[in-house]
Amino acid sequence: MKVNGSTIRNKRLKLGLSQRELAIDICTQATISLIENRCECKNNDILNKICNRIGLSPEEVTNKYNYGDRALEIVETRLFNCQFEMADKQWRQIKEQRLDTSKNIDRYNLFQAIIRLVRLQDADEALFILNEIIRRNNFSKNDHYIAWCFIGIGRSYLQKGHLERANNFYRIALTKINETALQKPMNLKRVIDIYNAIIRSAILSRNYELAAKASQLAVKLLGKNQSLYRLVQLLEYNCQAHFLLNHRKRASKMALLAYWTRQFNDSAANINEQVPKVYVPTVDELITDIMDHQLSE
C-alpha cells in the first residue's frame, strides 16, 4: 500500500531514532528505508508496529500521497516512450516548491535535465544538473534513476562530440542497472526501460557490442520474471546490433525470433500460452534459446 514515507521519516528524526533503531524487533533497516523513500509498505502488521513505536496512527500515514507523485510518474512514462513534447508540457505544470521529498525533487530535476538535453540541445546545463543529482545520492539501490543519470551524462557528451566518453558513461549505466536488477523489490518495467535507453544510446554511439550485451541481459531478465514487457523491441535491437557487428546469422535468428514473438505471443495472457493447431515456440523457449548462445559467432 502507499504510505507517506516523509511523515514517518520526519517523526523518526524528531525522536532521534536511526532507521536501524526503529527497525529493532519489527523488520529490517532495508524495509524502513523502502517505506521512507519509496512510500510503500506491503505488510500492515509492520506498518502498525512502526506507527505505534513513533506515536503515529496508521491513518496519519496511509491514503496520503506526496505532492507530485502521480504527475512525475506520468512525465517519466512520457520520457521513456520518447514523447518529449508532452513530457515537457506536463513537467512544467508541476510546482517545484511544493515537492516535499528529496527523491521527488531529484526526479523533477532529472526530468528537467533530460527535457533540456533533448528539446533545447543544452548539454552543459544537463551535465550540471545530472552530476548534482548523483552527488546528492538521494536514490536507493532499488531505484533506476542513478543509471538514468549516467545515460543522460553519456548523451550529453555525445551531443558535445565526445564519443568515447559517452560510451564510458553508458557502461557505468549498464553496471548500475545490473545492480538494481538484483534488488528486491525492484520496478521491472522501469529497469527494462533503462536497458532500452542504454541500447538506443549505445547504437547512436556506434557501440554495438554494448547494445548487444544490454539487450541480451534485458531479455534474460524478462525470462526470469516471466514478463513480455518490450520483449519484441529488445529482440529487434539485438538483431540490429548483431547486424551492425556483421554477425549476419545471429541477426537473422533474432529477426525471426522477434517476428514469432510479435505474431504469436504479444497478446498472450500467460507467457506459456500455446497457439492451437500450430506449433510456435513459447516465450520461455525463445528466451532460453537466446541465453544459450554467446554474443560472438
Side-chain angles (χ1 to χ4, degrees):
M1 82 179 83
K2 280 288 186 180
V3 299
N4 192 320
S6 61
T7 297
I8 294 173
R9 180 178 60 252
N10 292 339
K11 189 63 182 290
R12 173 179 63 79
L13 294 175
K14 187 175 181 180
L15 295 172
L17 295 173
S18 66
Q19 289 184 345
R20 182 173 297 176
E21 290 169 333
L22 177 55
I24 293 174
D25 295 329
I26 297 178
C27 58
T28 64
Q29 181 182 348
T31 299
I32 300 295
S33 177
L34 176 68
I35 291 170
E36 293 184 356
N37 294 307
R38 296 283 300 269
C39 300
E40 294 178 0
C41 183
K42 298 182 178 180
N43 190 307
N44 284 331
D45 289 336
I46 287 176
L47 182 61
N48 289 335
K49 289 176 181 179
I50 290 171
C51 289
N52 287 337
R53 179 162 292 177
I54 60 179
L56 292 173
S57 68
E59 291 75 22
E60 290 179 88
V61 299
T62 56
N63 300 320
K64 185 178 179 182
Y65 293 85
N66 293 311
Y67 171 77
D69 281 350
R70 179 166 174 75
L72 288 167
E73 186 65 26
I74 291 171
V75 173
E76 185 168 337
T77 300
R78 297 291 190 196
L79 290 174
F80 277 127
N81 290 327
C82 299
Q83 298 169 328
F84 299 112
E85 184 176 352
M86 295 181 69
D88 189 7
K89 181 178 179 180
Q90 290 171 317
W91 174 82
R92 291 176 184 276
Q93 295 174 359
I94 300 171
K95 300 183 186 301
E96 183 181 7
Q97 64 272 20
R98 291 186 58 192
L99 297 172
D100 56 0
T101 68
S102 56
K103 177 178 176 178
N104 275 353
I105 291 170
D106 275 352
R107 288 174 73 197
Y108 175 90
N109 290 327
L110 168 59
F111 302 162
Q112 177 190 21
I114 300 300
I115 290 168
R116 291 186 69 89
L117 180 64
V118 174
R119 288 181 57 78
L120 301 179
Q121 305 292 297
D122 193 345
D124 290 329
E125 182 66 15
L127 281 170
F128 175 78
I129 295 172
L130 295 168
N131 278 299
E132 281 295 297
I133 293 171
I134 292 171
R135 183 186 63 80
R136 287 194 293 269
N137 195 27
N138 285 322
F139 297 121
S140 70
K141 290 182 179 180
N142 303 71
D143 287 320
H144 55 281
Y145 297 108
I146 291 298
W148 202 358
C149 285
F150 283 113
I151 296 171
I153 292 173
R155 293 294 287 263
S156 298
Y157 280 119
L158 178 63
Q159 197 173 101
K160 292 165 71 70
H162 302 301
L163 190 64
E164 187 52 41
R165 186 173 290 184
N167 281 321
N168 286 338
F169 280 103
Y170 301 150
R171 294 185 191 101
I172 295 172
L174 183 60
T175 299
K176 293 293 183 182
I177 203 60
N178 287 341
E179 293 172 357
T180 301
L182 296 174
Q183 302 299 315
K184 294 184 179 180
M186 60 93 180
N187 187 328
L188 176 64
K189 287 187 176 182
R190 289 299 182 234
V191 169
I192 294 298
D193 285 334
I194 292 295
Y195 278 118
N196 228 21
I198 292 170
I199 296 162
R200 290 198 306 268
S201 300
I203 289 174
L204 284 173
S205 296
R206 299 193 291 277
N207 190 341
Y208 308 129
E209 292 89 352
L210 183 64
K213 181 179 180 181
S215 57
Q216 186 171 9
L217 288 168
V219 170
K220 184 177 179 180
L221 182 63
L222 286 175
K224 181 179 178 181
N225 288 275
Q226 296 288 283
S227 173
L228 289 164
Y229 183 68
R230 295 195 189 276
L231 177 59
V232 172
Q233 188 176 26
L234 290 167
L235 291 171
E236 289 172 344
Y237 277 140
N238 193 272
C239 168
Q240 183 179 0
H242 281 290
F243 180 82
L244 293 167
L245 287 167
N246 206 30
H247 299 164
R248 299 305 170 89
K249 289 176 64 177
R250 176 73 169 169
S252 298
K253 188 168 189 175
M254 291 301 101
L256 187 58
L257 290 174
Y259 173 79
W260 282 342
T261 307
R262 184 186 295 279
Q263 292 296 311
F264 298 105
N265 294 77
D266 266 0
S267 61
N270 185 295
I271 199 166
N272 290 314
E273 180 177 332
Q274 300 292 318
V275 178
K277 300 182 181 179
V278 179
Y279 172 75
V280 292
T282 65
V283 175
D284 275 342
E285 290 171 325
L286 298 182
I287 292 173
T288 299
D289 185 75
I290 295 167
M291 291 164 56
D292 285 344
H293 288 78
Q294 301 299 318
L295 290 177
S296 58
E297 289 295 295

